Amino acid sequence: MTLTFRALGTTGVIATGDPARLGDACAAVERELTAIDLACSRFRPDSELSRVNRAGGERTAISPVLLEALRVALTAARSSGGLVDPTVGRTLRTSGYDSTFRVVAARDGNTFRAEFCSVPGWETVELDEVAATVRVPAGVELDLGATAKALACDRAANAAAVVAGSVLVSLGGDIAIAGPAPDGGWPVRIADDHAAPLDGPGPTVALESGGLATSSTTVRRWRSGTDALHHLVDPRTGRPAESPWRTVSVAAKSCVDANVASTASFLLDDAPAWLEARGLPARLVSIGGGRAVVAGWPEDTE
Amino acid sequence: MALASAGALVAVFAGLAAKALPGHHTVKVTQVRASATQRQAVAPPLVPVEAAAAPAAPASAPAPTQAAPVVVSGGT
């Protein structure tokens, strides 16, 4: 039993093993997503993150939700060697991703001109977990897009599982599973675009636990003159990542871990080896359509 | 806290001095500013970000299946 909804600027899906508990699961998921949106949205002027970005270098008191989101973002930055960096906010904004993607996509790319900024680096963020405050230097803007949606998935699935048992939550194709999976696991189709139809092309795999994330440069794209841009920023250049891959799917212990790995894979010199060394099952699709699977991800059968 | 108290005391004396000796007012204000700057330089203790290792592997790898999918995982 599934329910589809809109949240955090994308499409969400809730599935429960027991159809009778779908309503309870939805209520729990909605509470979590509302909390994450109020804390972490870069596009809401009333969000906590917007307030931090406007603080001009002053220390700001933050809620437990934003504290967790920042802790997750900084941990992701450290564990990825800085490849997944929350201080890409300014260059994302000046390069054109300055509003919800519906607005960005509707802009006239012929007249828009992107500008790029250097990325200050996650080490500039001062998070004081004891005092529940954060300070970012004036001019530094945080974007939690690489981790907050995945964190929302994990939190929502865990909250829903308390009231509904077996649960799958998807946000824009990032998936978290909580509670015991149904017999045979949760079947998930893999595609370039999470909005692809369920009966479209692409392999289907079964998940028993944890999280699954797919990152792709084929979907969230816009134009600056003749240049095609996308949202996966390389912190080393402040520009959209140049990668041999177009879509990477990773399974991990949590949706956050899966998303960190799938995002970092676009920036690594040898993503398959990095994923294999960490035991992260993954499927990588190259720009030309070639496919690689690592760490136990099943070969495509179609 | 000690610096804050010291700053408050300086401010009190600055106010008294300003009333008694208006010509010395500027000097006392400068002392208050110096105290505030000194206080800002003492950063609160920062707790290191969790020294988590790389993203953790799942309990089991995805398995091939012929079941009808309930959701699509793809780019956003």
Side-chain angles (χ1 to χ4, degrees):
Chain A
M1 186 72 158
T2 65
L3 180 137
T4 302
F5 58 95
R6 292 284 303 176
L8 307 185
T10 189
T11 307
V13 175
I14 305 170
T16 54
D18 180 354
R21 296 186 178 180
L22 185 59
D24 292 338
C26 289
V29 169
E30 184 179 12
R31 281 193 296 272
E32 290 296 329
L33 300 189
T34 298
I36 287 283
D37 195 39
L38 277 170
C40 303
S41 172
R42 189 164 59 90
F43 307 127
R44 289 182 60 151
D46 62 340
S47 76
E48 280 193 87
L49 185 67
S50 293
R51 189 158 50 83
V52 170
N53 282 339
R54 289 193 305 261
E58 294 294 315
R59 186 164 292 279
T60 306
I62 54 176
S63 70
V65 175
L66 184 57
L67 177 65
E68 181 182 7
L70 289 171
R71 184 194 303 125
V72 166
L74 296 175
T75 301
R78 173 170 288 185
S79 69
S80 65
L83 294 178
V84 181
D85 190 317
T87 63
V88 297
R90 188 175 180 202
T91 196
L92 265 175
R93 178 175 60 78
T94 60
S95 67
Y97 196 0
D98 55 359
S99 185
T100 57
F101 197 72
R102 281 185 179 176
V103 175
V104 175
R107 184 179 289 140
D108 182 0
N110 292 316
T111 56
F112 173 73
R113 290 295 177 270
E115 294 181 5
F116 303 98
C117 308
S118 61
V119 175
W122 62 276
E123 299 95 332
T124 62
V125 180
E126 297 177 14
L127 180 65
D128 186 335
E129 297 197 50
V130 175
T133 63
V134 67
R135 193 187 83 82
V136 294
V140 176
E141 296 173 28
L142 301 179
D143 174 82
L144 302 181
T147 50
K149 181 158 59 73
L151 175 63
C153 263
D154 285 329
R155 286 175 57 110
N158 288 330
V162 171
V163 294
S166 174
V167 173
L168 175 151
V169 174
S170 167
L171 283 173
D174 290 347
I175 292 167
I177 291 168
D183 289 345
W186 290 105
V188 177
R189 183 178 295 284
I190 309 299
D192 283 335
D193 187 346
H194 81 282
L198 285 171
D199 58 356
T204 300
V205 295
L207 302 176
E208 294 284 346
S209 64
L212 171 68
T214 297
S215 296
S216 178
T217 57
T218 64
V219 180
R220 202 157 282 210
R221 298 174 72 88
W222 66 98
R223 285 196 309 119
S224 168
T226 57
D227 295 331
L229 308 178
H230 61 77
H231 69 297
L232 293 178
V233 171
D234 187 337
R236 298 165 294 193
T237 64
R239 292 172 173 267
E242 294 182 7
S243 175
W245 311 109
R246 76 174 193 222
T247 301
V248 178
S249 304
V250 179
K253 188 175 181 180
S254 68
C255 190
V256 165
D257 280 2
N259 207 4
V260 170
S262 63
T263 303
S265 293
F266 279 86
L267 301 164
L268 291 159
D269 288 337
D270 190 346
W274 188 87
L275 294 161
E276 185 79 54
R278 287 155 182 78
L280 294 165
R283 176 179 183 267
L284 304 92
V285 183
S286 71
I287 296 292
R291 297 162 197 176
V293 293
V294 300
W297 188 287
E299 296 281 352
D300 288 7
T301 53
E302 62 176 28
Chain B
M1 183 62 100
L3 283 171
S5 301
L9 275 176
V10 170
V12 168
F13 285 119
L16 289 173
K19 287 177 182 173
L21 302 166
H24 292 233
H25 178 74
T26 304
V27 174
K28 296 300 182 186
V29 169
T30 302
Q31 283 181 328
V32 173
R33 283 179 180 163
S35 177
T37 303
Q38 199 172 0
R39 188 173 63 218
Q40 283 178 349
V42 182
L46 298 182
V47 176
V49 172
E50 287 176 35
S60 59
T65 181
Q66 299 299 315
V70 297
V71 69
V72 174
S73 180
T76 304

